[in-house]
Amino acid sequence: MWSLPQLPRTRTLKRIGLLTSGGDAPGMNAAIRAVVRTALSRGIEVRGVQKGYSGLVAGHWVDMDRASVANILQTGGTALKTDRCDAFHDPTVRADTAARLRGAGLEALVVIGGDGSLSGAHLLEQETGFSVLGLPGTIDNDIWGTEDTIGFDTAVNTALEAIDRLRDTATSHERVFLVEVMGRNSGFIAATVGIAGGAEIVITPERPVDDETVLEALNLSQERGKHSSLIVVAEGEDPQFINRLNEHLNAAGYQARACILGHIQRGGSPTGHDRVLASCLGYAAVDHLQAGLSNIMLGVQENRVLGVPLSEVISRRRQTPEALLEVARVLAT
Ligand code: ADP
């Protein structure tokens, strides 16, 4: 459980907007529900924007009442839909959008999304003065200013379930399984899943290894009496890496198989952890707006919910902690 700050309610709000944007993440619905229910309990109306910034630019939003968020807490994806919107990169489009929002009586906007979505939100407030507040919604856990993001825990558990299953067949057939998990720039999912799934080798963008090093590690593992192995690979920049490594291992005499988990990791019912995280952040979003705070993202640090300026959040990327990568390496050998 995270501790929430007690904030004075210094700003009177009548109507706010809410959207989800960029890659979807399990738990976004729990955050939507929390924002809507908290706002309504304080007499604030909520307009739900459809399909992220595309819907914002086009003025596609609907009134949200308590019933509109019933039964979504446990569902994956996002009930508000999401999108990628090239037009929002244009400052004139952002200026027109702010004017449209003000014209509709909206006073602030809550944006749930990843790094890109938070960048768009920051620019909207910086250029137009329209209040925004961001919540970190991404399975990658690579956002600066928070130790956790909505969807990460669920994605890890989804990948782990697949890995446990692959372990069964790897053991039975005495095979090597290469499992690719998400994470183009970050090995956070791979390292976490590698530790939790007892992987023999974990390969991340932070600690890349070549085919020969993997082969040597596998040979060593065989010499120690292991007849099957699980190698967790973060997707990284090179989409062919896992297939090339698979061929290399087969050519060296191993019975290797590659399995790419892909978008399976994005979907599914959020874990209890992600539901509570999203609920607390959604609740705190309304609190912070009512305290007159904006152009911030809410994150968690040392078990506390706190606001971080969006200018800071978008100027850096959170790295996978070295200690986590080291635990994954040591326990794998
Ligand atoms: P995510 O939020 O998951 O990182 P994207 O990077 O695709 O996903 O961003 C989602 C959307 O946010 C983009 O399609 C665009 O509409 C908006 N966006 C991203 N970066 C910027 C930016 N620098 N300026 C304005 N809008 C942006």
Side-chain angles (χ1 to χ4, degrees):
M1 179 59 198
W2 298 271
S3 66
L4 295 160
Q6 297 287 317
L7 299 171
R9 292 187 195 160
T10 52
R11 184 177 179 190
T12 308
L13 286 167
K14 284 206 174 74
R15 195 174 295 147
I16 62 172
L18 169 64
L19 63 80
T20 51
S21 165
D24 64 319
M28 280 182 163
N29 280 332
I32 292 170
R33 172 179 176 272
V35 171
V36 170
R37 295 222 164 144
T38 308
L40 293 178
S41 76
R42 312 253 174 98
I44 304 167
E45 293 175 22
V46 184
R47 302 283 187 267
V49 181
Q50 304 284 317
K51 291 194 180 178
Y53 291 122
S54 303
L56 195 73
V57 169
H60 291 161
W61 47 71
V62 291
D63 267 10
M64 301 198 73
D65 58 15
R66 290 185 71 80
S68 66
V69 291
N71 263 324
I72 64 168
L73 174 67
Q74 72 281 12
T75 58
T78 159
L80 287 174
K81 305 280 173 71
T82 184
D83 200 7
R84 294 197 156 91
C85 170
D86 289 342
F88 209 68
H89 286 269
D90 180 346
T92 58
V93 170
R94 292 194 290 268
D96 290 348
T97 303
R100 187 193 277 270
L101 289 166
R102 288 193 172 102
L106 287 153
E107 295 154 305
L109 177 71
V110 177
V111 172
I112 308 167
D115 207 36
S117 306
L118 299 173
S119 300
H122 169 64
L123 290 173
L124 181 66
E125 171 148 358
Q126 191 185 41
E127 293 164 358
T128 70
F130 190 86
S131 300
V132 301
L133 187 141
L135 299 183
T138 167
I139 63 169
D140 293 329
N141 205 8
D142 59 351
I143 295 192
W144 180 259
T146 183
E147 290 164 2
D148 203 355
T149 57
I150 297 166
F152 173 67
D153 186 63
T154 307
V156 164
N157 279 287
T158 303
L160 193 56
E161 201 184 315
I163 280 170
D164 287 346
R165 287 165 196 255
L166 291 170
R167 170 78 74 188
D168 291 345
T169 185
T171 310
S172 304
H173 287 273
E174 301 197 331
R175 274 184 185 150
V176 175
F177 264 94
L178 296 135
V179 191
E180 185 188 283
V181 299
M182 279 197 168
R184 192 159 297 160
N185 307 303
S186 155
F188 221 133
I189 293 180
T192 310
V193 162
I195 293 168
E200 275 70 26
I201 301 171
V202 179
I203 304 172
T204 59
E206 294 86 347
R207 293 188 176 191
V209 287
D210 59 26
D211 296 355
E212 273 310 306
T213 311
V214 175
L215 192 55
E216 278 167 26
L218 265 188
N219 289 341
L220 193 67
S221 167
Q222 294 273 318
E223 280 164 26
R224 287 180 180 149
K226 283 208 171 178
H227 300 293
S228 66
S229 296
L230 240 146
I231 303 176
V232 174
V233 185
E235 76 185 302
E237 293 284 0
D238 176 3
Q240 287 311 319
F241 174 80
I242 188 167
N243 292 325
R244 272 204 317 274
L245 181 58
N246 188 34
E247 278 171 26
H248 189 74
L249 298 182
N250 276 297
Y254 282 98
Q255 287 271 311
R257 298 286 184 274
C259 177
I260 298 171
L261 298 184
H263 284 78
I264 285 172
Q265 294 157 94
R266 278 198 185 283
S269 180
T271 56
H273 174 94
D274 274 336
R275 294 183 204 189
V276 177
L277 173 67
S279 299
C280 289
L281 291 179
Y283 173 95
V286 179
D287 262 357
H288 280 71
L289 286 174
Q290 285 191 297
L293 298 164
S294 66
N295 215 351
I296 56 170
M297 178 199 76
L298 298 185
V300 287
Q301 288 178 32
E302 295 177 352
N303 289 329
R304 286 167 48 233
V305 170
L306 48 83
V308 186
L310 275 173
S311 54
E312 243 180 71
V313 171
I314 62 166
S315 62
R316 303 184 67 173
R317 188 176 281 275
R318 183 176 183 226
Q319 302 297 317
T320 310
E322 266 304 307
L324 192 78
L325 295 168
E326 191 55 14
V327 171
R329 187 189 69 78
V330 170
L331 299 190
T333 48

